[in-house]
């Protein structure tokens, strides 16, 4: 399937391994990624905090660009924060024809216009809803047997449920990570912090509170005996992996908890090599903790 | 509509009991009640109280989600017991039993009753929760724009139930955080044209390290609130007014962070992380990274920076040179910025007030 | 022992207003409430507050509407005071920060309400009571150095001295179970109504008539207890209130034939006739087989005729209620309602300053009967009543306190009350459960003492109430603890409710006419010659209510035929 692909900013900045692994995984799932090179940052909620109309207009532009991609079935992102920030803007744009017309006025000079009702899905949702878990399971080459994975969703993709189309019965999107882990052969680790906040939004405003959150949730995962976490959000990844040494300092305990990007976990199961997936670039080396069974290649990150 | 008349069925409640006089630890207790599926968890608990054990402690009064007494956690989610339907609670339960426990972030007095004075009300008092009149006070009513009173209705809708405080993730790690309920209440005054101290209130809460910039933006309070107050949105409005309208530059890097983020996207179209951090500390310009606060921060983050460089997660070139949008697209972005930011007044669409167009039934898929 | 110039029981609108007025007048104030003040039932009041603030309006018009609404049982001197002081009070509320809705020019907007000859109801969406209560509480916090708050304290009894004056109360700290005697130069009852005597009721679980019964027990007479208001639009399933504001915005009432039947009963005011008229109309339609819903026991309230944007702006709360409690989107389909118990016009008899015949004992708000509502209360007059008489009683009590010596109290009554509580806790499980008795009381009152009454039904109700009173003496509870023992408080509340219920039934039997909310099918006409008077209920020492009468004060308006 062809998707209008919004990779976000951070995947091309501080988490290049995410961008790279997505590029490798997509063809294995028959996803054609048409990257929206012309689109700009979603604002991550910060631009909306500054000026709602600005965030709505910038994202409407992105939506319009996506809608212009020939043959694209939907728009896809690889970041919980992008998903949440865009969904918030889209909710406003879709709710009021008057407002939408007003925003489109600003876009008119570029010949762009957003039409209500864009389908915008995070890779996680796409896996479950478009590709389907059965299909995914069928393509698994290297089942992640005995790998104990803790899901970490990222706030922006699980709250508020109404805006994100989460329904306990029809679309239990806040359980998808667990479902994907199981489909890939792994064991889901339940722990207190799975749906909580990594702390990234306040890393500059209250560093201690920010890292305490990261540290606690990582610690909870350690206590629950997880081998690693997996997250669909690179901003969460920054606070959980990049900042882990400082998080350890803040909560006063060693953590040693590797954090994988979702495409990396999927990539491993689909048969890609850890180095291809950029896993050696993580600040917290996955190799020092993960105990792969014989069905999984050992020696990651060496 | 036929839901209202469905016959009673069995529901099992698992209640968290705690008797402070016994010396025992809290424990779970199950009761099976019979009610129509559309009835509330509170009615279920009251039936258990009436039939089985009158000592079950829960605050309740109006039964109609207006007094705010019955704040609890149901299946791990905060909310009002009277406002949660039994069938929905059953659907959301993990094992077919509806779990009810007291709210979080506040000490438990007995069973489902928490000490709100110790946390919730203390924080409300922190924001000077009364109108400080603009003088002179007119003889008749203040004449104020119609929209302004409608605007603060959202904040005024708060019934002080504590559900937002219960699950605030910032408060969980930082108990001194002023919190969603108190900050939503603060907006009620900042947004009220009759208040004389809007700047002072904003400055106070922006400069407080546990104030408006301590909110971790996790949406928990928006989800918890049974009245649509959306406390986090009120906090964002406070930030917007503090930085945008009153140009308050706080010591917590809140304004600088916002300015840096917004500015970097304008200049490059994409976020330049390497610049974002130093500018948040040192100021939103080229020299920001050289300012002392920024330098200190960089030094503090050395363990992280060195590891990131070693692993080649971040390369020096990658950090020093941002990736940009193509030239024409960047021009478009800049033009959008100029157009929107150049308006006389900010446009803020608040769906709480305006509602949704007729044919929008659900959120976008 | 805490000692104050003015002690106020109940922290709803009347209680908080009294506290602020007394503190303003320099008195030391204690404010006791069995729930946190913002949980008081005033918070549920929705539609608005009446005041003739429009320059084209006249408070005398408001007063006449009120007199007519009361079916001429209201005391006109009190009504004049309430209506003339209303504009000033509403302005005061606006000044302290109530976020009233505005019209296009930024002035207070006024909406239509039942029984009003012109639009004079100021409002905050449909959460007027909540907005006012929270703003008053903001002021209470502001003046916390002048007002001592005792939140979650349950008053068990009033204390009188040997001269028969009220000198304090005995109360229980619900959190710790500790009992305390409070000395006070003046006590103001602001403890609200007694809706829990009925099932269903719009009233909260805390509305158990505590103050009415406590005043009655120390010899203060109750007045107009038979006047129980059934609100026309309560949710059919659970009795929740749908504000009159909906009809004020233009909503229609429809029967099973889809007709706006109010045409037959009140051709002028239609849906905005006074509440007793509308409730009776609905009940008649239901009784005559034109009701809607399962069993034909309801009526449709059609809000779809109101502009959707306006509904979201001004009737947000009932959108929520419809969605959350009835599974109905009121902007798209009619909602099923029926008359339900809502308010008690009667209460502790007071004068225009809130003073009862017992020196030092005042009452204000729904607990009191001045009477400004007479046989039927107009919508949006209750919020006004609480504030005007809350303020007046606070001021009057503060003035009375100056120059008075602080009473000194012993411990006897505390020990009596503590023993009573211990006895209840220690009861054997031989009788009935408290909750069972309460349930039966509610169902029976709603069956026999509702919109349409007759001798047989009332006598039946009286027998039942007396039997339940007996049974209550041996009713048992489960909770034997001291911390937050809600169970034992429930037993005390039950006994208060039974006293209120009995007074209501006795008064209803006594009044052999139909007036205002009392409609007797055996005496369907209003009879001014014999019955233009208040029925007072007193206690003659033992547990038997005694009936007497008091005159209705008439100043300007002679009784006339009441048509809407």
């Amino acid at each position: 399937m062809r998707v209008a692909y919004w990779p976000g900013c951070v995947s091309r900045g501080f988490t290049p391994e995410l961008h790279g692994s997505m590029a490798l995984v997509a063809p294995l799932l028959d996803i054609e990624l048409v990257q929206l090179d012309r689109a700009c940052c979603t604002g991550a909620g910060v631009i909306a905090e500054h000026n709602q109309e600005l965030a709505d207009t910038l994202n409407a532009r992105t939506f319009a660009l996506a809608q212009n991609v020939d043959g694209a079935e939907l728009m896809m992102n690889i970041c919980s924060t992008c998903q949440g920030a865009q969904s918030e803007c889209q909710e406003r744009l879709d709710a009021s024809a008057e407002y939408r017309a007003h925003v489109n006025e600003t876009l008119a000079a570029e010949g762009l216009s957003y039409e209500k009702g864009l389908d915008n899905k995070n890779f996680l949702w796409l896996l479950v809803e478009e590709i389907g878990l059965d299909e995914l399971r069928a393509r698994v080459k290297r089942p992640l047997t005995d790998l104990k994975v803790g899901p970490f969703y990222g706030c922006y993709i699980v709250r508020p449920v109404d805006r994100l189309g989460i329904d306990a019965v029809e679309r239990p999107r806040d359980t998808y990570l667990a479902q994907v882990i199981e489909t890939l052969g792994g064991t889901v680790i339940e722990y207190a912090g799975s749906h909580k906040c990594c702390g990234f939004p306040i890393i500059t405003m209250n560093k201690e509170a920010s890292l305490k959150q990261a540290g606690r949730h990582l610690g909870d995962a350690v206590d629950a005996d997880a081998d690693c976490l997996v997250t669909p959000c690179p901003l969460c990844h920054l606070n959980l992996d990049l900042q882990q040494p400082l998080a350890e300092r803040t909560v006063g305990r060693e953590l040693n908890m590797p954090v994988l990007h979702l495409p990396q976990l999927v990539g491993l199961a689909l048969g890609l090599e850890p180095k291809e997936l950029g896993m050696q670039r993580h600040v917290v080396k996955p190799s020092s903790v993960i105990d792969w069974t014989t069905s999984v290649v050992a020696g990651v990150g060496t | 509509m036929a839901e209202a008349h469905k016959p009673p069925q069995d529901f099992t409640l698992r209640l968290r009991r705690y008797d402070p006089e016994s010396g025992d630890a809290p424990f779970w207790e199950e009761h099976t009640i019979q009610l129509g599926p559309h009835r509330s968890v509170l009615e279920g608990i009251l039936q258990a109280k009436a039939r089985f054990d009158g000592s079950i402690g829960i605050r309740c009064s109006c039964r109609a989600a207006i007094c705010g007494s019955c704040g609890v956690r149901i299946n791990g989610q905060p909310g009002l017991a009277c406002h949660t339907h039994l069938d929905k609670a059953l659907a959301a339960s993990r094992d077919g039993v509806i779990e009810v426990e007291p709210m979080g972030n506040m000490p438990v007095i007995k069973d489902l009753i928490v000490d709100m004075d110790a946390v919730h009300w203390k924080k409300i008092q922190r924001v000077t929760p009364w109108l400080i009149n603009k003088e002179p006070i007119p003889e008749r009513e203040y004449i104020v724009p119609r929209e302004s009173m409608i605007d603060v209705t959202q904040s005024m809708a708060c019934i002080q139930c504590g559900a937002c405080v219960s699950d605030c993730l910032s408060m969980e790690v930082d108990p001194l955080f002023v919190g969603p309920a108190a900050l939503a209440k603060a907006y009620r005054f900042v947004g009220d044209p009759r208040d004389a101290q809007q700047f002072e209130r904003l400055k106070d809460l922006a400069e407080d390290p546990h104030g408006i910039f301590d909110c971790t933006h996790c949406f928990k309070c928006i989800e918890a609130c049974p009245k649509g107050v959306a406390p986090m949105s009120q906090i964002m409005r406070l930030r917007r007014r503090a930085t945008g309208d009153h140009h308050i530059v706080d010591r917590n890097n809140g304004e600088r962070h916002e300015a840096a983020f917004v500015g970097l996207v304008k200049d490059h179209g994409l976020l330049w992380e390497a610049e974002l951090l130093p500018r948040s500390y040192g100021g939103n310009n080229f020299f920001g990274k050289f300012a002392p606060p920024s330098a200190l921060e960089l030094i503090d983050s050395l363990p992280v920076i060195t590891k990131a460089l070693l692993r080649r997660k971040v390369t020096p070139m990658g950090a020093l040179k941002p990736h940009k949008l193509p030239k024409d697209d960047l021009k478009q972005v800049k033009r959008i910025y100029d157009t929107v930011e150049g308006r006389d007044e900010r446009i803020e669409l608040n769906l709480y007030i305006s509602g949704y167009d007729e044919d929008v039934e659900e959120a976008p898929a | 022992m805490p000692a104050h110039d003015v002690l106020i029981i109940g922290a709803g609108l009347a209680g908080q207003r009294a506290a602020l007025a007394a503190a303003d007048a320099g008195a030391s104030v204690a404010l006791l409430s069995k729930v946190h003040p913002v949980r008081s039932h005033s918070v549920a009041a929705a539609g608005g507050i009446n005041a003739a603030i429009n320059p084209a309006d006249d408070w005398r018009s408001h007063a006449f509407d009120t007199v007519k609404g009361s079916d001429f049982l209201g005391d006109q001197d009190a009504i004049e005071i309430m209506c003339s002081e209303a504009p000033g009070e509403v302005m005061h509320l606006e000044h302290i920060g109530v976020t009233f809705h505005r019209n296009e020019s930024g002035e207070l907007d006024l909406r239509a309400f039942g029984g009003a000859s012109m639009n004079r109801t100021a409002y905050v969406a449909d959460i007027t009571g909540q907005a006012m209560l929270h703003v008053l509480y903001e002021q209470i916090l502001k003046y916390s150095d002048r007002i001592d708050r005792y939140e979650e304290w349950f008053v068990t009894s009033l204390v009188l001295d040997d001269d028969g004056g009220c000198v304090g109360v005995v109360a229980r700290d619900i959190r710790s179970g500790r009992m305390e005697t409070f000395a006070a130069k003046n006590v103001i009852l602001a403890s609200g109504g007694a809706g829990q005597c009925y099932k269903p009721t719009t009233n909260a679980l805390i509305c158990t008539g505590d103050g009415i019964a406590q005043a009655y027990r120390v010899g203060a007479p109750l007045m107009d207890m038979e006047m129980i208001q059934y609100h026309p639009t309560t949710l059919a399933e659970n009795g929740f209130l749908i504000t009159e504001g909906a009809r004020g915005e233009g909503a229609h009432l429809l029967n099973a034939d889809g007709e706006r039947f109010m045409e037959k009963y009140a051709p002028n005011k239609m849906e905005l006739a006074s509440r007793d008229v509308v409730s009776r109309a609905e009940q008649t339609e239901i009784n005559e087989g034109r009701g809607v819903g399962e069993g034909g026991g309801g009526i449709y309230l059609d809000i779809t005729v109101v502009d959707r944007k306006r509904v979201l702006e001004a009737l947000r709360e009932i959108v929520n209620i419809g969605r959350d409690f009835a599974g109905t989107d009121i902007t798209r389909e009619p909602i099923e309602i029926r008359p339900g118990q809502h308010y008690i016009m009667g209460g502790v008899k007071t004068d225009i300053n809130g003073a009862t015949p017992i020196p030092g004992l005042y009452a204000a708000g729904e607990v009191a009967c001045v009477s400004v509502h007479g046989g039927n209360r107009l919508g949006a007059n209750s919020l006004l009543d609480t504030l005007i008489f809350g303020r007046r009683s606070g001021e009057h009590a503060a003035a009375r306190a100056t120059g008075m010596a602080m009473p000194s109290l012993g411990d006897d009554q505390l020990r009596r009350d503590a023993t009573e509580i211990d006895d209840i806790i220690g009861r054997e499980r031989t009788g009935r459960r408290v909750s069972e008795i309460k349930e039966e009381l509610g169902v029976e009152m709603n069956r026999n003492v509702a919109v349409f009454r007759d001798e047989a039904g009332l006598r039946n109700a009286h027998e039942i109430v007396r039997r339940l009173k007996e049974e209550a003496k041996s009713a048992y509870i489960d909770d034997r603890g001291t911390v937050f023992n809600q169970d034992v408080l429930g037993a005390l509340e039950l006994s208060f409710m039974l006293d209120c219920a009995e007074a209501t039934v006795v008064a209803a039997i006594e009044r052999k006419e139909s007036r205002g909310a009392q409609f007797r099918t055996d005496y369907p006409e209003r009879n001014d010659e014999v019955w233009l008077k208040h029925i007072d209920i007193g206690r003659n020492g033992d547990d038997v209510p005694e009936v007497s009468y008091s005159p209705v004060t008439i100043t300007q308006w002679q009784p006339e035929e009441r048509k809407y």
Side-chain angles (χ1 to χ4, degrees), chain B residues 1-5 19-21 38-40 42-43 46 48-69 82-85 109-110 113-118 120-121 124-125 129-133 137-150 152-153 156-162 185 188-189 192 194 226-227 351-361, chain C residues 35-36 38-41 43-44 53-55 91 93-109 123-125 127 130-132 134-135 137-139 141-144 149 151-152 175 196 201-207 236-240 293-294 300 308-310 312-313 316-317 320-321 323-328 332-336 429 433 435 478-487:
Chain B
M1 268 241 277
E3 293 167 51
H5 297 285
D19 176 2
E21 297 174 85
H38 198 70
R39 308 305 284 255
S40 70
L42 174 64
E43 290 181 281
L46 290 176
K49 231 169 116 121
R51 286 190 188 175
F52 310 122
D53 185 355
S55 74
I56 296 171
I58 181 168
R59 287 194 178 108
C60 54
S61 182
C62 73
R63 305 157 296 148
I66 193 76
C67 74
S69 302
C82 69
H83 203 234
T84 310
H85 298 296
I109 297 176
K110 170 187 168 180
I113 300 170
V114 296
D115 186 352
M116 286 188 68
D117 292 314
H120 181 103
W121 289 109
I124 294 286
Q125 302 209 30
W130 50 81
L131 190 74
I132 300 171
N133 287 83
I137 300 178
E139 233 193 85
R140 284 181 60 101
E141 66 266 50
Y142 285 88
I143 304 294
V144 295
R146 188 170 183 277
E147 289 69 39
S148 66
M149 287 295 109
I150 296 178
V152 294
T153 310
M156 201 71 228
C158 170
I159 56 176
Q160 310 287 352
C161 69
K185 189 97 173 143
R188 172 253 175 289
F189 300 104
D192 190 328
R194 302 167 295 177
K227 308 304 286 185
L351 294 177
Y352 176 86
I353 291 168
S354 65
Y356 297 72
D357 283 354
E358 289 292 340
D359 44 1
V360 177
E361 288 293 313
Chain C
V35 292
H36 189 282
V38 304
R39 317 291 178 214
S40 306
H41 198 48
V43 80
I53 57 178
N54 186 334
M91 289 305 161
L93 288 173
E94 198 274 339
H95 292 160
I96 59 174
V98 177
T99 51
F100 286 117
H101 263 49
R102 308 295 171 140
N103 60 22
E104 291 306 326
S105 321
E107 306 157 329
L108 292 177
D109 194 26
Y123 63 98
V124 179
I127 52 166
Q130 178 195 335
M132 283 169 35
H134 282 243
V135 170
Y137 189 65
E138 289 168 4
Q139 297 292 303
L141 289 178
K142 181 175 174 187
Y143 295 114
S144 55
R149 297 192 312 277
E151 294 164 351
E152 292 184 323
R175 233 186 249 200
Q196 284 292 312
T201 171
T202 65
N203 284 197
L205 298 166
I206 58 174
C207 303
E237 184 191 337
N238 50 24
F240 289 177
E294 209 165 282
Y300 277 141
R308 191 164 181 272
K309 192 153 175 277
R310 178 70 185 161
L312 290 176
E313 188 183 290
R316 169 62 55 107
E317 192 52 31
N320 293 343
I321 291 177
R323 181 193 63 224
D324 296 333
F325 298 105
T328 306
R332 295 192 215 280
E333 44 181 348
I335 187 168
E336 190 187 327
R429 294 170 161 248
R433 288 176 75 79
S435 48
D478 298 320
D479 195 345
R480 282 164 159 64
T482 28
V483 171
F484 239 104
N485 188 331
Q486 296 174 311
D487 224 2

Side-chain angles (χ1 to χ4, degrees), chain A residues 27-82:
Chain A
L28 297 180
L29 295 169
D30 292 324
I31 303 173
E32 186 193 337
L33 302 172
V34 180
Q35 186 159 293
L36 296 168
D37 289 318
R38 298 179 54 198
C40 67
C41 177
T42 66
V46 181
I47 294 185
E49 172 189 314
H50 169 75
N51 185 319
Q52 257 180 6
E53 192 197 343
L54 179 60
D56 292 348
T57 312
L58 292 172
N59 280 300
R61 179 174 176 277
T62 303
F63 298 156
L65 290 169
Q67 284 174 329
N68 283 352
V69 173
D70 262 328
E73 287 178 47
L74 44 76
M75 187 166 125
M76 186 185 93
N77 63 74
I78 50 172
C79 172
S80 300
T81 304
C82 290

Side-chain angles (χ1 to χ4, degrees), chain B residues 155-224:
Chain B
S155 186
M156 201 71 228
C158 170
I159 56 176
Q160 310 287 352
C161 69
C164 58
V165 170
S166 162
D167 274 43
C168 173
L169 294 179
S170 272
M171 215 182 274
E172 205 177 282
V173 293
D174 177 13
L176 293 178
F177 176 42
V178 175
L183 291 173
K185 189 97 173 143
Y187 183 79
R188 172 253 175 289
F189 300 104
V190 169
D192 190 328
R194 302 167 295 177
D195 192 87
Q197 302 237 317
Q198 288 157 343
F199 171 77
E200 287 80 356
R201 291 180 191 272
L202 287 168
K203 182 127 176 91
D204 173 28
L205 293 170
E207 295 286 10
D208 186 337
H210 310 284
I212 58 179
F213 291 111
D214 199 12
C215 164
T216 197
H217 214 289
C218 73
F219 301 97
K220 271 264 183 189
C221 55
I222 293 184
E223 190 139 280

